[in-house]
């Protein structure tokens, strides 16, 4: 199973975001409000200036990678005005 593809212009590295504030907490994850650091005007216009980032501590997560992948796939398929749109996923060694 491959990771979801990242469209041109979507920021796919932790360094591409500035974490602003924690907005939700779970057993092994924290949801953050974050700003996208714009790198150039050539970036895709539909990428919002602010996003929600779910940071999962993989070392202390009770779920296995297969369960996490299923959650990502389910998020990717959601298309509803009351559900936050999924853009991408990545792994970072940052704390």
């Amino acid at each position: 199973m491959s990771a979801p593809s990242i469209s041109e212009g979507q920021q796919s590295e932790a360094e591409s975001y500035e974490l602003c504030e924690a907005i939700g907490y779970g057993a092994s994850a924290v949801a953050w409000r974050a700003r996208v650091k714009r790198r150039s005007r050539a970036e895709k216009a539909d990428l919002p200036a602010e996003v929600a980032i779910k940071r999962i501590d993989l070392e202390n997560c009770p779920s296995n990678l297969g369960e996490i992948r299923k959650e990502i796939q389910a998020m990717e398929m959601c298309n509803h005005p009351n559900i936050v749109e999924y853009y991408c996923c990545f792994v970072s060694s940052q704390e």
Side-chain angles (χ1 to χ4, degrees):
M1 183 180 308
S2 63
S5 63
I6 298 167
S7 300
E8 184 178 336
Q10 292 180 357
Q11 303 298 314
S12 59
E13 300 175 348
E15 296 80 23
S16 299
Y17 303 93
E18 175 188 349
L19 299 180
C20 299
E21 65 180 310
I23 56 175
Y25 298 89
S28 59
V30 178
W32 290 84
R33 182 177 65 84
R35 288 188 190 95
V36 176
K37 295 178 183 177
R38 304 276 183 201
R39 292 189 179 175
S40 74
R41 291 183 183 185
E43 290 179 358
K44 197 171 182 180
D46 65 348
L47 184 65
E50 288 193 350
V51 295
I53 294 179
K54 181 177 181 178
R55 294 182 71 186
I56 301 171
D57 181 352
L58 294 176
E59 292 183 9
N60 296 312
C61 183
S63 301
N64 64 40
L65 288 178
E67 291 172 338
I68 294 170
R69 284 188 180 128
K70 285 180 185 178
E71 180 180 349
I72 292 168
Q73 288 175 332
M75 291 170 51
E76 190 174 28
M77 292 187 314
C78 291
N79 183 12
H80 190 277
N82 294 336
I83 298 176
V84 175
E85 186 175 353
Y86 171 83
Y87 285 98
C88 67
C89 68
F90 52 85
V91 176
S92 171
S93 62
Q94 294 180 343
E95 291 186 25

